[in-house]
Amino acid sequence: MQVDTAIIGAGAAGMMCAAHAKGRILIVDHARAPGEKIRISGGGRCNFTNMYCDAGAFLSGNPHFAKSALARYTQWDFIDLVDRHGIAWHEKTLGQLFCDTSAKEIIAMLRRLMQKNGVDLHLQTTAHSFAKSPDGFTFLLKSNGAETLVTAKTLVICTGGKSIPKMGATGLAYEIAAQFGLPLTETRPALVPFTFTKERFAGLAGVATDVRVTAGETSFEEALLFTHRGLSGPAVLQASSYWHEGEQIAVNLTPNADLYTELRDKRAQFGRRNLTTELSQHLPARLVDFLANETDLSGNLADQSDAKLHAITKQLSEWYLTPTGTEGYRTAEVTLGGVSTDALSAKTMEVTAVPGLFFIGEAVDVTGWLGGYNFQWAWSSAMAAASALRP
């Protein structure tokens, strides 16, 4: 089989690239259907981009690398594509855009675009034995026990990272990169819940509250969810990308309130009210009960001196916790790290030392925030590569 471009991985980035590249395009995936991560994303409605997407929302060894691709194919470009295909959408919060009905609409759109572009899609097929050749690249396709030798002028790798192995994640992109001598940055789970020993928060499982979580020097203000294993929720998932093993995180349980002033004023009006009763006006009652076992919240408001109120509110705004770890790749939404951007052209995603070889999407050391940013990187990096692929 001879093609102009072979794309390994029929996820978001791979399908987007295949839909817009020129020439004879082959796209391969070992899954039963393309776009499986799209299908399950956003609770089945696909948070396909973010209105506020820019390079500042991405982590990378080179914080400037993503700027070129994101600027050349923006969130507004993808929104326009979605609109032209009649897919209804809405903003949920913080610029996060979701399909009104189903993530399957995004997959169907990409499949229509690939079909229109004459793309040859091979599913339940694996690719291996990649090699550079005088005409480009060769590799073997294996399907139903039979193998086919493929020759491609250009090769695009977009098999993602290690996240959610039950969806088929394998780390194949890193193996191919290493085979061609490309540098890799350390990979670890990102956008992932924290775990704690001895089921510390098991009694709070299901309780959610708005907080500000800080890891390192970066803070996120959204919801926190207590689980049987530890902490989850958007604020926690965001902070996990900036956390390193052994470090503390800081949780501000009252990010939008001057709790000291409010408690002091309530003391003057309702001195006989129990302190925990008043705190339950600001925090979930189960959480207040839990905190009362960890710190002294006894007595009525009238019993609390200014110094005691200061101490209590400081504890609630600076609750320091040390996770034992994370839930790992099993539940991580993305993989942090990957193919080093030092090896790639920021304009085209081509490997500078291996002409004709491209890496796009999650396989690259570019990781976005929660909320549609990683899908936008998939679309943008795919279009950067597609613009450079010629028959």
Side-chain angles (χ1 to χ4, degrees), residues 17 21 33 47 57 96 164 176 194 212 237 258 299 308 332 336 347 357 366 377:
C17 185
N47 181 190
Q96 301 170 14
I164 318 183
I176 297 172
F194 288 128
R212 182 183 303 121
L237 299 184
D258 180 357
K308 181 68 180 298
L336 193 68
K347 184 177 180 180
L357 179 61
V366 175
W377 171 245

Side-chain angles (χ1 to χ4, degrees), residues 40-368:
I40 68 168
S41 67
R45 292 194 175 184
C46 188
N47 181 190
F48 57 81
T49 192
N50 193 290
M51 293 172 63
Y52 305 120
C53 187
D54 63 39
F58 293 83
L59 293 82
S60 173
N62 177 358
H64 302 291
F65 182 84
K67 290 180 178 179
S68 176
L70 292 171
R72 292 166 60 225
Y73 190 85
T74 71
Q75 59 269 42
W76 307 111
D77 293 316
F78 192 77
I79 292 168
D80 179 64
L81 180 64
V82 167
D83 286 343
R84 284 189 279 115
H85 283 260
I87 299 174
W89 53 269
H90 62 278
E91 179 188 0
K92 186 174 181 181
T93 182
L94 301 174
Q96 301 170 14
L97 304 188
F98 290 77
C99 298
D100 280 358
T101 54
S102 172
K104 294 178 181 179
E105 290 187 286
I106 299 294
I107 299 172
M109 175 187 75
L110 294 171
R111 294 199 69 163
R112 286 194 300 271
L113 289 170
M114 288 197 301
Q115 185 175 19
K116 183 179 179 181
N117 202 27
V119 173
D120 188 8
L121 171 64
H122 286 238
L123 297 171
Q124 294 182 276
T125 302
T126 58
H128 63 95
S129 302
F130 295 90
K132 192 79 174 73
S133 73
D135 297 322
F137 301 87
T138 62
F139 61 94
L140 291 172
L141 287 186
K142 185 175 182 179
S143 178
N144 295 321
E147 290 192 330
T148 304
L149 177 66
V150 179
T151 300
K153 295 178 183 177
T154 54
L155 180 62
V156 181
I157 307 300
C158 43
T159 56
K162 301 177 182 178
S163 303
I164 318 183
K166 71 177 182 180
M167 298 296 296
T170 62
L172 176 63
Y174 311 141
E175 297 173 17
I176 297 172
Q179 178 186 336
F180 285 97
L182 307 187
L184 298 171
T185 62
E186 180 184 2
T187 57
R188 56 188 175 89
L191 300 181
V192 62
F194 288 128
T195 56
F196 290 80
T197 55
K198 299 179 181 178
E199 297 184 334
R200 181 176 179 186
F201 301 115
L204 289 173
V207 172
T209 186
D210 290 335
V211 300
R212 182 183 303 121
V213 180
T214 302
E217 298 180 355
T218 306
S219 300
F220 293 93
E221 192 170 310
E222 285 187 80
L224 174 150
L225 173 68
F226 292 95
T227 73
H228 285 283
R229 300 190 63 184
L231 301 178
S232 188
V236 169
L237 299 184
Q238 296 278 39
S240 71
S241 296
Y242 294 84
W243 176 82
H244 295 87
E245 190 172 354
E247 293 181 346
Q248 287 185 322
I249 60 170
V251 179
N252 184 344
L253 294 169
T254 57
N256 299 311
D258 180 357
L259 189 58
Y260 168 75
T261 300
E262 292 189 30
L263 290 178
R264 188 187 59 188
D265 292 345
K266 291 291 186 180
R267 182 183 62 187
Q269 295 177 287
F270 308 103
R272 294 183 179 181
R273 182 175 295 173
N274 190 280
L275 174 59
T276 55
T277 300
E278 182 57 35
L279 288 176
S280 295
Q281 303 300 310
H282 303 274
L283 296 169
R286 284 169 59 192
L287 176 56
V288 173
D289 291 341
F290 175 88
L291 295 170
N293 291 323
E294 294 208 340
T295 189
D296 182 13
L297 298 180
S298 61
N300 297 328
L301 287 172
D303 300 325
Q304 317 301 324
S305 65
D306 286 354
K308 181 68 180 298
L309 290 180
H310 267 300
I312 291 170
T313 54
K314 182 177 175 63
Q315 283 182 297
L316 297 178
S317 63
E318 299 177 7
W319 190 20
Y320 291 103
L321 301 168
T322 304
T324 57
T326 71
E327 292 190 2
Y329 292 116
R330 181 180 65 85
T331 59
E333 298 208 11
V334 291
T335 301
L336 193 68
V339 178
S340 173
T341 57
D342 291 342
L344 307 176
S345 162
K347 184 177 180 180
T348 65
M349 311 303 294
E350 186 173 18
V351 178
T352 53
V354 188
L357 179 61
F358 297 74
F359 285 83
I360 60 176
E362 187 184 350
V364 179
D365 177 28
V366 175
T367 305

